Amino acid sequence: NWLGGMYGSSGILGTKSGGPIASSWAMVQYFGVEGYHNLATTARKVALQIARHIDAIPELQLRAEPDTTLLCIGANDSALLSIFAVARELRSNGWYVDEQTPPDSMHLTVNVVHENRVDEFIADLRAAVKKAANAQPINGVGSAPLPYGSV
């Protein structure tokens, strides 16, 4: 029932292994429960801060209000703007975003390390939207998502 388009994975666990569980355990050991909680709270605050900026960009829309630190963003009008072209512009500036369907969207995974980079990201996002909106797709380039998964 996966709706995210082509998905490849080299293992039966998909893209997640025991690594994230082990790293979470190690972080709790290092920072303590309160320290880990503070990091998670900060990441959530940053995700909501980015979400509010996205609400203020007329060409974009949040596909849903984020429950955690994952943001799903789409174009308000996909006939006027390819969200995949926006994602590729962001990627050319060093930001990593996933491209997924349906519907066409890009996903941001926000972490505590993004706390002091929100303004930089939003400036790059606005520039990417402007550039993608003014670009004419050539042979569909920018209009289809990149494959998702790990192989």
Side-chain angles (χ1 to χ4, degrees):
N1 295 331
W2 172 256
L3 297 176
M6 188 176 102
Y7 178 91
S9 177
S10 58
I12 61 172
L13 294 175
T15 59
K16 303 291 185 267
S17 66
I21 295 169
S23 64
S24 295
W25 177 86
M27 288 181 66
V28 170
Q29 298 308 303
Y30 183 80
F31 293 109
V33 172
E34 184 177 336
Y36 186 83
H37 180 265
N38 290 341
L39 292 172
T41 300
T42 298
R44 173 75 173 143
K45 176 191 78 168
V46 173
L48 292 174
Q49 187 179 13
I50 293 171
R52 297 299 67 88
H53 284 288
I54 291 165
D55 287 340
I57 300 174
E59 297 86 353
L60 300 179
Q61 64 175 251
L62 286 171
R63 293 287 185 213
E65 187 65 24
D67 289 328
T68 59
T69 58
L70 177 68
L71 299 171
C72 181
I73 305 161
N76 266 327
D77 186 343
S78 60
L80 299 176
L81 178 70
S82 166
I83 199 65
F84 303 133
V86 174
R88 290 168 197 168
E89 283 299 321
L90 286 171
R91 205 173 287 106
S92 73
N93 283 323
W95 299 103
Y96 180 78
V97 294
D98 286 328
E99 300 175 18
Q100 294 191 13
T101 63
D104 292 357
S105 60
M106 68 177 179
H107 292 188
L108 311 177
T109 302
V110 180
N111 292 293
V112 71
V113 297
H114 299 115
E115 181 179 23
N116 297 317
R117 300 194 66 199
V118 172
D119 291 340
E120 178 187 359
F121 174 75
I122 296 302
D124 284 350
L125 177 60
R126 288 181 182 277
V129 166
K130 184 175 182 179
K131 188 170 182 181
N134 291 329
Q136 296 297 320
I138 300 169
N139 296 328
V141 173
S143 61
L146 295 173
Y148 177 80
S150 64
V151 179

